[in-house]
Amino acid sequence: MSQNYAALSQVIHERKSVRKFDPNYIMSAEDITSILEEATLAPSSSNLQPWRFIVIQDQDTKKKIKEFSYNQEQMETASVIIAVIGDTEMYHNIDEIYLSNLAAGNIDQEHVEIQIQNAKAAYPNAPFEARRNIATFDAGLVSMQLMLIAKAKGYDTVTMGGFDKQQFVDTFELESRYEPLVLIAIGKAAAPAYGSTRLPIDTITKFI
Ligand SMILES: Cc1cc2nc3c(=O)[nH]c(=O)nc-3n(C[C@H](O)[C@H](O)[C@H](O)COP(=O)(O)O)c2cc1C
């Protein structure tokens, strides 16, 4: 077993949703930023990176979110709540993203122009539902990375879909292109996770 695999496997096995956090623990800005930076190394459709984040540390704001999140305790006691938001108009960043690939020497001028043209033909003309699905799927990938990175750095997390999306949109005055997807609580565990089991591979997989 390679060292890389052993380390990754340990993090994957040890990540469990924690719902009791030390309310006094303050995460450093550097830690939060580096977790986000590494999480965004996740892949995304055409590398359009349709994830956006709101990092919520302010105690009054956390309390307010808790009120429209079934009063989930971790909303208030976690050090940080990271709202993962999907940008259904991810195509506005096509030039910036592809030209930065050009500047980094990952692609040449001729091919970058083709890529930009193709992306600008496809994404703005795709149905809203298709763009929403892409944003939601890609935000799921970044969220998973975020949880594993946080765990590897000594934090615990719980992802939460149980909140009123409309109230979130209203509270943070989100434009209609942005969809709040999940809230990820991060902090220092004050009690272990409940633990959870998984369906057997045979139940969920067809081998052909
Ligand atoms: C999209 C999504 C939404 C979730 N919403 C909530 C939630 O609102 N509250 C909560 O306590 N846990 C929530 N969870 C955590 C799940 O209950 C948990 O991941 C599952 O029971 C498996 O346990 P584990 O994460 O400890 O492996 C959510 C997880 C996901 C992926």
Side-chain angles (χ1 to χ4, degrees):
M1 187 163 59
S2 78
Q3 270 185 344
N4 270 350
Y5 174 69
L8 175 63
S9 180
Q10 186 181 352
V11 175
I12 287 173
H13 282 269
E14 288 180 357
R15 184 221 55 85
K16 290 282 167 197
S17 295
V18 159
R19 295 173 179 89
K20 296 244 177 248
F21 290 95
D22 173 354
N24 299 315
Y25 189 86
I26 296 171
M27 278 176 77
S28 70
E30 292 76 39
D31 255 4
I32 299 168
T33 304
S34 83
I35 289 171
L36 287 171
E37 267 171 4
E38 283 194 325
T40 57
L41 295 177
S44 60
S45 179
S46 301
N47 195 27
L48 291 186
Q49 306 160 52
W51 41 66
R52 302 290 175 267
F53 307 102
I54 301 177
V55 176
I56 302 150
Q57 296 165 282
D58 174 65
Q59 209 51 30
D60 289 340
T61 311
K62 287 197 251 166
K63 264 187 203 158
K64 178 159 188 179
I65 298 173
K66 185 178 165 214
E67 285 166 18
F68 57 79
S69 309
Y70 303 98
N71 242 6
Q72 298 195 63
E73 178 190 311
Q74 61 268 20
M75 211 60 86
E76 208 176 328
T77 53
S79 305
V80 181
I81 304 292
I82 297 188
V84 182
I85 290 157
D87 183 0
T88 62
E89 294 183 14
M90 66 293 265
Y91 49 79
H92 292 299
N93 297 94
I94 288 173
D95 284 317
E96 180 179 348
I97 289 168
Y98 288 8
L99 292 177
S100 110
N101 259 339
L102 177 69
N106 296 328
I107 193 167
D108 61 33
Q109 183 75 39
E110 183 193 340
H111 288 98
V112 85
E113 278 169 21
I114 296 169
Q115 279 198 351
I116 289 176
Q117 242 177 27
N118 288 346
K120 284 187 175 173
Y123 283 86
N125 297 313
F128 175 78
E129 268 314 307
R131 284 187 274 114
R132 174 197 259 164
N133 286 343
I134 289 169
T136 306
F137 187 91
D138 292 351
L141 297 177
V142 86
S143 299
M144 187 71 253
Q145 292 228 127
L146 193 155
M147 285 183 264
L148 292 177
I149 293 160
K151 184 70 198 173
K153 280 179 169 283
Y155 297 106
D156 279 286
T157 58
V158 58
T159 285
M160 291 169 288
F163 66 100
D164 187 314
K165 307 265 158 67
Q166 190 54 52
Q167 289 210 52
F168 187 93
V169 165
D170 295 344
T171 302
F172 293 95
E173 299 179 349
L174 296 189
E175 291 170 47
S176 60
R177 66 188 261 198
Y178 297 114
E179 300 233 342
L181 298 170
V182 287
L183 304 176
I184 305 180
I186 313 181
K188 286 284 177 189
Y194 307 139
S196 57
T197 58
R198 295 297 184 266
L199 294 168
I201 292 302
D202 281 350
T203 309
I204 57 170
T205 312
K206 200 182 236 176
F207 292 92
I208 297 170

